[in-house]
Amino acid sequence: MFFQLLVSGFSFGSLYALVALAMVIIYKTSEVPNFGQGEMAMLSTFVAYTLLVTHNNSFVLSFVGSLFFAAILGVFLEFVFLRRAKDPNILSLILITLGFQMILYGLASWKWGAEQRDLPFPVSDFDVINLGPAVLSYLNIATLLITLVLMLILFLFFKYTKVGIAMKATQQNAMAARINGIRTNRILSITWAMSSVIGAVAGILLAPIATLDPNLMLEPLLKGFSAAVLGGMTTLVGAALGGYILGIIENLFGGYVSLEFKSIVAFGIIVLVLCFKPSGLFAKHYVRKV
Amino acid sequence: MADDSFFTIHNLSISFGGLLAVDNVGFDVSPGSIFSIIGPNGAGKTTIFNCISGLYSPDSGKIIFQGKNIIGLKPHKIARKGIARTFQNIELFSRMTTMENLMLGRHIHMKTGIWSGATFYRRGSKAAQEEIKHRERVENIIDLLDLQAARNQFVGGLPYGTQKLIELGRALALEPKILLLDEPSAGMNSEEKQDLIFWIKDIQDELGVTILLIEHDMKLIMDISDRILAINFGKPITEGTPAEIQKHPEVLKAYLGED
């Protein structure tokens, strides 16, 4: 049983890790936790649903189409709303992202209604393979693989590509980045696009396990946020690890202690982390010079 | 107006909420020279630099670089034209190593796309060759400025003087045509200042870079400048060679007070 809980916790954890990554990518560039993240992912998942079910497209096309939509949505929100803010402070930017959350939630409720839907996923959640004492569904495996591939891509992107390195530079010192020829506004757009796409992947992987309605990402967002706080809001690796740790702890707690209080674990962890290591488990603590 | 001068500023003015920070300043810099701007604190020297590098947009005036007005261009565009700078209060990427900071100075010269950049492990690939080329450039700068010891250290923890040099190195990595140095010697001891004078001379002579300099150290200024502009309260007082400036009564008044 322990092994089973561990393995399925790992699979759930990878979804949290994706959401955490999506949040951290934006947080690192602008110090804004994007509370609209979940609803952006939910809307993109609905777009995948519409392409797939309503318009009878192939799964691959719908998947790619919805990621494309997610990228545009991210760029659009950043460009149209956040960039217009005059002399913004962090708090007002956070409020704008809360605004996104409400607008997008309303939009989805109006367009698709509150009825619960099922996103047909080509990989089954019921066919399983045996892995020693535990079983893993094909969907679990697909989730794990997709997440790992995505993380590998992100790693290569930030470590070796010109745009990725420019993004890191912008995070550390936007003015120095600008006078060295980096278009920081462009970088911000790319950040939002990437983050939105990662969130959309999480949404589409989650939809077959959960049910697709406007509340799809409500809880996963909070869990992903907790995971990011746990691992450290300033480190991509930390946020991803935070996601896995949270998924496993939560599952073990659900299995051994109490299934009803399983969801509370995430918030308990946030409180503990904020008490003992506010910068997160894996973040080096940098004191900002004023 | 057709203008074939290398770098000229005409009637530059900028005000911040009623305060005229720069008032009708103009000067001409000939290629390959060292041009210094002096003046008391708050005279508007750094503001002029910020206008040149596109961080501020002036209310009026022209900044002509190689025949084109660069006012209104975004900072990254101005960097791409070959204008690099350093800051009075060091602006480095503090959570990166010296090497990475200097490599970022190469940003405008990097052409590798996302795909080949992420898969450049293949030796001899175009991306790998480009990377090697950029690294050679940066190693040369590290040698020039004696930064070997700091190469792989995070710059945030390095001594102030070293950080100033790294910033200078990053500006050089951009291969600038004009280099703006904002108080490069601030916080350096006299030995470091001596080295700095040699390096600035080297940059001028060997790399052929035109240098605009803001400095408070009068000895340094008089040693290396070809021409000097003195300003006070945003207004130009006078412009001339170091010998002329040293004797000018208004400059003496601005620096030493009346009588």
Side-chain angles (χ1 to χ4, degrees):
Chain A
M1 160 129 149
F2 174 77
F3 194 62
Q4 177 66 50
L5 288 172
L6 200 69
V7 168
S8 45
F10 207 62
S11 160
F12 251 97
S14 49
L15 289 176
Y16 298 159
L18 283 182
V19 178
L21 280 174
M23 288 207 95
V24 163
I25 287 175
I26 289 181
Y27 183 82
K28 276 182 71 140
T29 28
S30 48
E31 297 193 354
V32 175
N34 174 17
F35 288 109
Q37 195 83 61
E39 269 56 33
M40 288 162 68
M42 177 267 290
L43 207 66
S44 307
T45 311
F46 265 116
V47 168
Y49 175 87
T50 307
L51 286 173
L52 187 63
V53 177
T54 319
H55 295 287
N56 277 320
N57 288 301
S58 73
F59 182 80
V60 174
L61 187 78
S62 314
F63 187 68
V64 173
S66 102
L67 296 192
F68 193 67
F69 169 82
I72 300 209
L73 179 70
V75 172
F76 174 80
L77 292 179
E78 191 275 326
F79 186 80
V80 174
F81 297 103
L82 288 175
R83 205 175 288 183
R84 305 298 139 207
K86 291 268 179 237
D87 301 323
N89 58 30
I90 302 292
L91 190 61
S92 54
L93 292 177
I94 294 175
L95 280 176
I96 294 178
T97 71
L98 277 172
F100 294 161
Q101 194 260 325
M102 286 184 243
I103 293 170
L104 297 178
Y105 187 91
L107 199 66
S109 308
W110 164 72
K111 178 79 178 69
W112 287 281
E115 109 188 48
Q116 300 195 325
R117 292 158 206 264
D118 199 25
L119 182 74
F121 202 80
V123 180
S124 155
D125 192 24
F126 301 109
D127 298 333
V128 293
I129 57 163
N130 288 301
L131 204 77
V135 290
L136 262 182
S137 75
Y138 287 153
L139 183 65
N140 288 152
I141 294 167
T143 304
L144 278 170
L145 286 180
I146 291 175
T147 313
L148 290 176
V149 168
L150 210 57
M151 284 179 191
L152 179 71
I153 293 173
L154 279 179
F155 171 77
L156 290 174
F157 177 78
F158 277 106
K159 186 110 177 120
Y160 295 116
T161 72
K162 182 183 166 186
V163 184
I165 292 167
M167 213 176 255
K168 271 193 344 202
T170 307
Q171 285 157 6
Q172 294 188 19
N173 190 334
M175 182 161 67
R178 292 168 78 199
I179 61 118
N180 277 295
I182 294 171
R183 274 181 89 162
T184 48
N185 276 341
R186 175 73 61 83
I187 294 289
L188 215 57
S189 299
I190 299 172
T191 309
W192 274 76
M194 276 174 63
S195 165
S196 180
V197 166
I198 295 169
V201 172
I204 293 171
L205 289 173
L206 184 75
I209 313 174
T211 44
L212 180 57
D213 65 12
N215 294 320
L216 175 74
M217 293 302 286
L218 225 52
E219 208 180 286
L221 176 78
L222 290 173
K223 299 280 177 61
F225 188 46
S226 318
V229 172
L230 173 67
M233 285 297 280
T234 52
T235 134
L236 289 171
V237 180
L241 289 176
Y244 287 115
I245 293 174
L246 184 69
I248 290 168
I249 292 182
E250 195 186 66
N251 234 23
L252 290 177
F253 188 89
Y256 286 117
V257 186
S258 151
L259 204 56
E260 289 78 20
F261 285 102
K262 187 177 157 190
S263 291
I264 311 273
V265 174
F267 308 110
I269 286 178
I270 284 197
V271 173
L272 284 176
V273 170
L274 289 179
C275 287
F276 294 107
K277 198 156 187 310
S279 53
L281 292 182
F282 304 100
K284 289 185 204 103
H285 193 67
Y286 293 102
V287 181
R288 182 176 287 266
K289 271 190 243 165
V290 184
Chain B
M1 179 178 90
D3 198 331
D4 55 358
S5 63
F6 177 65
F7 185 86
T8 312
I9 293 186
H10 297 289
N11 311 95
L12 187 76
S13 295
I14 181 171
S15 58
F16 300 103
L19 174 81
L20 211 50
V22 174
D23 187 2
N24 220 3
V25 169
F27 54 86
D28 181 78
V29 183
S30 51
S33 67
I34 296 183
F35 188 96
S36 299
I37 304 175
I38 59 169
N41 284 329
K45 306 180 294 290
T46 299
T47 310
I48 297 176
F49 271 21
N50 284 344
C51 290
I52 297 172
S53 51
L55 295 173
Y56 293 162
S57 40
D59 302 333
S60 62
K62 276 186 191 159
I63 300 176
I64 311 287
F65 176 52
Q66 293 184 318
K68 288 206 181 78
N69 190 358
I70 58 168
I71 282 182
L73 294 183
K74 297 261 170 59
H76 69 266
K77 282 262 168 71
I78 289 174
R80 279 171 209 187
K81 284 191 174 290
I83 300 182
R85 73 172 287 181
T86 65
F87 290 87
Q88 199 174 340
N89 313 308
I90 305 166
E91 300 286 351
L92 286 170
F93 306 110
S94 52
R95 276 170 274 153
M96 294 189 191
T97 63
T98 304
M99 185 78 191
E100 289 171 320
N101 267 278
L102 296 195
M103 284 298 276
L104 270 158
R106 303 285 312 159
H107 183 85
I108 61 168
H109 299 289
M110 295 194 177
K111 296 186 176 60
T112 306
I114 288 188
W115 177 250
S116 37
T119 56
F120 87 113
Y121 57 86
R122 198 162 56 79
R123 287 228 159 248
S125 69
K126 239 181 163 177
Q129 274 170 356
E130 228 208 51
E131 180 80 6
I132 291 169
K133 193 184 82 195
H134 289 306
R135 279 181 187 261
E136 268 171 10
R137 284 264 182 185
V138 166
E139 291 294 348
N140 286 340
I141 293 169
I142 288 179
D143 285 344
L144 176 77
L145 299 179
D146 253 338
L147 285 168
Q148 292 89 344
R151 181 195 280 116
N152 295 320
Q153 298 195 23
F154 287 99
V155 301
L158 293 170
Y160 190 81
T162 313
Q163 292 197 22
K164 285 234 124 171
L165 283 182
I166 295 170
E167 212 190 6
L168 173 61
R170 190 182 61 192
L172 283 178
L174 194 140
E175 290 177 48
K177 298 188 180 89
I178 295 189
L179 181 57
L180 316 180
L181 301 177
D182 196 344
E183 296 197 22
S185 85
M188 288 185 171
N189 61 33
S190 55
E191 201 178 318
E192 289 170 324
K193 275 185 193 173
Q194 271 310 319
D195 288 342
L196 184 71
I197 291 178
F198 285 123
W199 283 323
I200 294 180
K201 279 280 184 198
D202 274 356
I203 293 166
Q204 180 197 20
D205 295 340
E206 285 173 26
L207 306 177
V209 178
T210 309
I211 295 171
L212 255 70
L213 181 66
I214 293 177
E215 242 318 322
H216 277 303
D217 187 311
M218 281 304 140
K219 186 180 167 308
L220 194 153
I221 289 268
M222 298 302 165
D223 268 7
I224 63 175
S225 305
D226 294 306
R227 287 190 75 76
I228 299 174
L229 168 75
I231 61 173
N232 198 9
F233 300 114
K235 289 189 191 60
I237 302 175
T238 181
E239 193 201 311
T241 62
E244 288 164 5
I245 292 290
Q246 271 169 321
K247 281 184 238 126
H248 197 281
E250 292 259 0
V251 175
L252 294 176
K253 201 168 83 186
Y255 268 90
L256 303 173
E258 290 190 66
D259 289 341

